[in-house]
Amino acid sequence: MPWRRTVAIAALSGALLVGPGVAHAAPQAAPAPKEQVAAATITWTLERVANPTQDQQTAYNLITTAMNAAVARYNNVSDLGKTITVRYDPGVPTADGNINGTIRFGNRGYMTERTALHEIAHTIGVGTSSGWSSLGGSGTWRGAQATALVKQFDGSGATLSTGGGHFWPYGLNYENEFSSTAANRHVQIVAAMVRDGL
């Protein structure tokens, strides 16, 4: 057919017009389609007053820095999803997180990435869900995936202890537990707990 010859001649002419030193990759076959699972995303908003005092603005800045770092880590290391609303509440002695998706920060010393990671875990169900009660109520986490993960991190004798709505190791319950490695492992364990039925 004449139109096919015209297309072929145009393609050859284009190839001949390419100058020296210009490389062109040969067309590759399309990759086989893969099953894509959409990654969930944790998002957050900070409730602010219209005209904040200097105290409120300072708290907002600290909370924003902490939450941005913690949410970025959760989104980079896991596929968990949650919509979180954050408040500054000076009446809260430390900070707290609820499965309904709210986090309250009070004390400035707790406006850190470590605290934000810990409180995000509470919004996802650590210490706050019925799955937590059934799998962690005995003092040791009984879910297979998170248990296997802590053994991978710390050896075959390692366990995840639970109590008071918290877990350890890697629960980031205190500031001195924080490191980049511990924070990544925290997120990985929370995600494994979710897969276990948290």
Side-chain angles (χ1 to χ4, degrees):
M1 298 194 170
W3 65 270
R4 283 191 182 163
R5 186 184 311 167
T6 303
V7 169
I9 291 170
L12 288 172
S13 298
L16 292 173
L17 292 175
V18 174
V22 178
H24 289 276
Q28 298 177 354
K34 294 180 182 178
E35 183 177 329
Q36 299 268 335
V37 178
T41 301
I42 293 177
T43 60
W44 74 283
T45 55
L46 176 61
E47 291 185 350
R48 299 171 181 256
V49 298
N51 295 302
T53 64
Q54 183 58 51
D55 170 72
Q56 290 168 323
Q57 189 58 57
T58 299
Y60 294 162
N61 292 343
L62 291 169
I63 291 167
T64 298
T65 298
M67 285 298 297
N68 281 343
V71 166
R73 191 177 301 270
Y74 262 97
N75 289 338
N76 288 332
V77 177
S78 78
D79 63 353
L80 296 172
K82 190 77 179 185
T83 300
I84 298 170
T85 301
V86 180
R87 297 184 183 101
Y88 170 48
D89 184 343
V92 174
T94 57
D96 58 34
N98 191 297
I99 197 163
N100 70 6
T102 59
I103 294 175
R104 300 182 306 165
F105 287 89
N107 185 309
R108 294 256 199 286
Y110 292 88
M111 295 175 184
T112 64
E113 180 185 357
R114 192 274 315 164
T115 303
L117 289 163
H118 178 94
E119 300 308 336
I120 290 169
H122 286 313
T123 71
I124 291 170
V126 169
T128 58
S129 69
S130 59
W132 174 264
S133 299
S134 63
L135 290 165
S138 69
T140 302
W141 183 260
R142 294 190 314 272
Q145 295 205 29
T147 299
L149 194 55
V150 79
K151 288 180 186 304
Q152 176 187 327
F153 293 151
D154 294 341
S156 61
T159 60
L160 276 174
S161 298
T162 59
H166 299 96
F167 70 89
W168 60 92
Y170 307 113
L172 302 181
N173 302 300
Y174 301 99
E175 204 64 38
N176 65 359
E177 297 176 14
F178 183 82
S179 70
S180 185
T181 297
N184 287 340
R185 289 179 176 184
H186 168 84
V187 173
Q188 290 173 295
I189 287 173
V190 172
M193 287 178 163
V194 169
R195 293 190 300 273
D196 282 336
L198 180 63

